[in-house]
Amino acid sequence: MDYLMLIDRFYPIPGEVLSGLRFGEAGGVIMEEQAARQLGLMLSKARGDGVAIKALSGYRSPEYQEKLRREDTARRIAEGLSPEEAAAQTDRYLARPLCSEHNSGLAVDLCTPSADDTEDDFFLTPQAKWLCRNAHRFGFILRYPRMKEHITGIAYEPWHYRYVGTEAASLIHQSGLCLEEFLHFYADEFSFEGLRGRMTKNEP
Ligand SMILES: [Zn+2]
């Protein structure tokens, strides 16, 4: 599994990656095997620090992704948007099937224990602050930061964390780069394949 794989509207998940996925479970959600193990460790460390974090959504099948998109667009139309405006808004928040990191099992949406949906003001909570300080230690990055929407193509999502492995996550955390920038800048500096090989090794 290439944990640094770029997944976005231009780079859908290749079929062979999808068919080779191995799954695990943590915090009540399904994720890719190693990502699940690391999520489990992260949630229990947070709990130990007195911060209960709930995992809301991990792996989603491409079919389920499409269903979520249809429901989101319908809701926005019901709220008064034109079908075109509603579809454009859905595109900002919910990727197309195979273009969502959730379809790879490497992404997880996190929230406070009492929430049953993602929270726009999640960034204000102790849970979000704990994650900003600690998620990289477990190999997770805040995937869609503020001020990077022009690069990621996705609005700020304080709840969406992506597993990339601890070494890459620490570099991304320290540098303030988003994943696209990280892959770009580090590709210039290192042999890209070498970097990938180094960073996709199994966690100890
Ligand atoms: Zn998400």
Side-chain angles (χ1 to χ4, degrees), residues 80-204:
L81 291 188
S82 73
E84 294 74 26
E85 287 168 338
Q89 282 293 314
T90 296
D91 272 337
R92 282 190 69 205
Y93 289 94
L94 278 169
R96 289 161 193 241
L98 294 177
C99 299
S100 166
E101 294 189 331
H102 286 281
N103 302 149
S104 71
L106 297 177
V108 61
D109 292 339
L110 300 164
C111 64
T112 57
S114 56
D116 51 16
D117 200 354
T118 56
E119 304 155 288
D120 287 335
D121 57 358
F122 182 61
F123 67 96
L124 296 171
T125 65
Q127 284 79 3
K129 286 171 186 166
W130 189 94
L131 287 164
C132 283
R133 280 194 301 269
N134 298 291
H136 66 281
R137 299 181 217 279
F138 301 89
F140 288 89
I141 56 165
L142 178 69
R143 178 65 179 89
Y144 305 116
R146 275 199 192 90
M147 310 298 290
K148 303 284 188 184
E149 187 175 348
H150 61 294
I151 303 172
T152 64
I154 306 280
Y156 173 50
E157 291 193 354
W159 56 81
H160 180 106
Y161 277 79
R162 157 73 192 264
Y163 182 75
V164 293
T166 51
E167 197 172 0
S170 294
L171 285 167
I172 288 169
H173 177 77
Q174 284 159 21
S175 64
L177 299 173
C178 64
L179 181 61
E180 285 84 356
E181 293 171 309
F182 175 80
L183 294 173
H184 175 74
F185 291 125
Y186 279 74
D188 286 347
E189 224 172 291
F190 295 84
S191 146
F192 194 60
E193 284 308 311
L195 177 82
R196 284 183 170 222
R198 214 158 52 81
M199 293 199 170
T200 56
K201 66 181 190 291
N202 288 341
E203 301 294 347

Side-chain angles (χ1 to χ4, degrees), residues 35-55:
R37 209 159 45 231
Q38 293 297 110
L39 175 66
L41 291 174
M42 180 165 80
L43 296 180
S44 58
K45 177 71 169 79
R47 212 163 36 240
D49 288 350
V51 182
I53 298 173
K54 179 172 159 184

